[in-house]
Amino acid sequence: MAIPNRKVVISSYGPASTSLQIVTESLAPPPKDHVQVKICYAGFAGADVNMRLGQYPFQRSAPLTPGYCFSGRVSVNGPGCSKFKAGDLVTALTKYDADAEYINIPEKYLVPVPAGVDLQQAAALCLDWATAYGMVHRSANVSAGQRVFIHGISGAVGQGVMYLCLLQGATVYGTAAERNHAALKEAGAHPFVYTNKDWIPAMKEIGGVHAVFDALGFESFDESYSILSPTERSIVVAFGSNLGTLTNGKSRSPWVPIFKLLAKSLYFWSNKTTTFFGIQRDQKTFQPELQTLLGMVQKGTIHAPIKHIWDFEDIKEAHETWGKGAGMGSYLIRIAPDA
């Protein structure tokens, strides 16, 4: 039978105060090949903020329910589903609809959370660290002895990229708020403040870097390209256009900078190349890489830092304060207790 389901709705594009509501709607039983999951944590990222502003590439039209990923407990199996039983812990990438108490989702997209991995870690790994893993190991193929630069090294994906690159034996540089520099240095990175451009001549002085990971976009793409090594194979891996959102700047289309960046990869005479990384749950690499990360947490090889957790009712505050405040790591929305 149908159940009441509280969920976030972006009713229109604009400020969080006017465009976000929590509503209750009826949720039907899971259809064939679907599983109904009670969500405990939803991941929260720049994608959610940009969707609320109507600026996320290829997004649904409003009204829509955001929430790019979740972790939770299986509630009910739909017809044809037997892989999981009620109470099993699972995580999944959704792109939409995770900011809700319940979700009906195709069984094939659910990934089991192994024993010893809590649901906060699972939610952080599902989008933030899975993105980092794909960029480090596939897009840039980072290896020992290389130099990498990360914009927003203290952020959710930035932290994942940093730790995964360090595990590969790379030297890591990046930008971060000065309040986080001591912790970043202790972890093994070399941070610069993002309020000036001192990192540009510093990177050129050491011969450039082999990979830049850039979630900022716009003018930052050109700056990232400028610090690549001129003599060795090197790459800019772009994965966002968050500069305007983070600086409260004027909204503008990300497409021209993205196309301009990708065009640089056509310079066949150059050792430098570019790519734009996107993550999708249908990619054949997604589930194996997420399972690898879950296994690394289970073994104690990695631990995803959590910067802040908001309660479901504080969704407007989450949108208004994303990217601000002390701490490093991923953001989560607590939908329900995970006990």
Side-chain angles (χ1 to χ4, degrees):
M1 62 183 294
I3 60 171
N5 185 34
R6 296 174 71 230
K7 64 180 184 178
V8 174
V9 172
I10 297 173
S11 57
S12 60
Y13 305 135
S17 59
T18 58
S19 61
L20 289 174
Q21 290 84 38
I22 296 179
V23 304
T24 300
E25 294 182 355
S26 179
L27 180 65
K32 186 177 186 298
D33 298 327
H34 284 61
V35 173
Q36 191 171 95
V37 178
K38 181 178 178 62
I39 296 174
C40 295
Y41 293 95
F44 190 79
D48 299 83
V49 177
N50 286 323
M51 283 184 191
R52 194 234 319 148
L53 297 172
Q55 297 175 180
Y56 194 75
F58 306 114
Q59 73 175 77
R60 289 179 186 169
S61 299
L64 64 93
T65 294
Y68 222 105
C69 64
F70 71 82
S71 61
R73 294 181 179 274
V74 169
S75 178
V76 178
N77 278 319
C81 295
S82 59
K83 183 178 179 180
F84 302 96
K85 64 181 185 298
D88 282 353
L89 303 182
V90 292
T91 185
L93 194 68
T94 57
K95 190 173 181 179
Y96 305 103
D97 300 324
D99 287 353
E101 292 180 329
Y102 292 89
I103 187 172
N104 290 336
I105 182 171
E107 181 187 57
K108 66 180 181 178
Y109 293 131
L110 292 176
V111 176
V113 177
V117 179
D118 67 48
L119 290 179
Q120 293 181 14
Q121 288 289 292
L125 295 180
C126 191
L127 175 61
D128 297 335
W129 280 65
T131 298
Y133 192 98
M135 293 193 299
V136 169
H137 289 277
R138 285 189 286 112
S139 295
N141 194 23
V142 174
S143 59
Q146 290 189 329
R147 302 178 297 275
V148 305
F149 192 93
I150 306 164
H151 292 280
I153 195 172
S154 58
V157 179
Q159 284 281 281
V161 172
M162 178 189 77
Y163 282 111
L164 293 173
C165 285
L166 289 172
L167 284 173
Q168 290 298 103
T171 302
V172 177
Y173 304 88
T175 54
E178 192 166 6
R179 61 178 175 268
N180 294 321
H181 283 200
L184 290 167
K185 290 176 181 177
E186 185 176 353
H190 304 273
F192 293 80
V193 295
Y194 54 77
T195 50
N196 60 45
K197 305 295 182 182
D198 289 352
W199 53 273
I200 296 178
M203 293 301 97
K204 290 180 178 180
E205 186 175 340
I206 62 173
V209 297
H210 300 91
V212 183
F213 300 92
D214 192 333
L216 299 179
F218 304 102
E219 297 80 15
S220 181
F221 286 163
D222 289 332
E223 294 170 344
S224 294
Y225 192 81
S226 76
I227 65 169
L228 292 179
S229 170
T231 59
E232 301 175 85
R233 287 293 295 174
S234 54
I235 186 170
V236 174
V237 184
F239 61 103
S241 298
N242 292 322
L243 184 60
T245 307
L246 288 167
T247 58
N248 296 315
K250 182 179 179 181
S251 298
R252 48 183 171 157
S253 171
W255 290 114
V256 171
I258 290 173
F259 291 144
K260 181 181 175 183
L261 173 77
L262 295 178
K264 293 180 186 295
S265 64
L266 302 176
Y267 298 169
F268 62 86
W269 60 88
S270 174
N271 291 313
K272 305 176 182 180
T273 190
T274 64
T275 190
F276 198 96
F277 184 87
I279 190 168
Q280 297 179 16
R281 61 187 184 180
D282 285 308
Q283 291 170 330
K284 65 180 181 180
T285 54
F286 173 70
Q287 288 202 20
E289 290 177 354
L290 177 55
Q291 289 166 342
T292 295
L293 288 166
L294 289 164
M296 292 171 75
V297 169
Q298 188 181 39
K299 295 174 184 176
T301 306
I302 60 171
H303 181 84
I306 307 297
K307 180 173 180 177
H308 193 81
I309 301 174
W310 290 279
D311 288 327
F312 192 26
E313 289 74 16
D314 297 325
I315 189 67
K316 292 184 179 181
E317 180 185 336
H319 276 255
E320 291 166 345
T321 58
W322 175 78
K324 302 177 177 67
M328 299 189 292
S330 297
Y331 295 98
L332 302 175
I333 306 296
R334 182 187 290 108
I335 308 294
D338 57 345

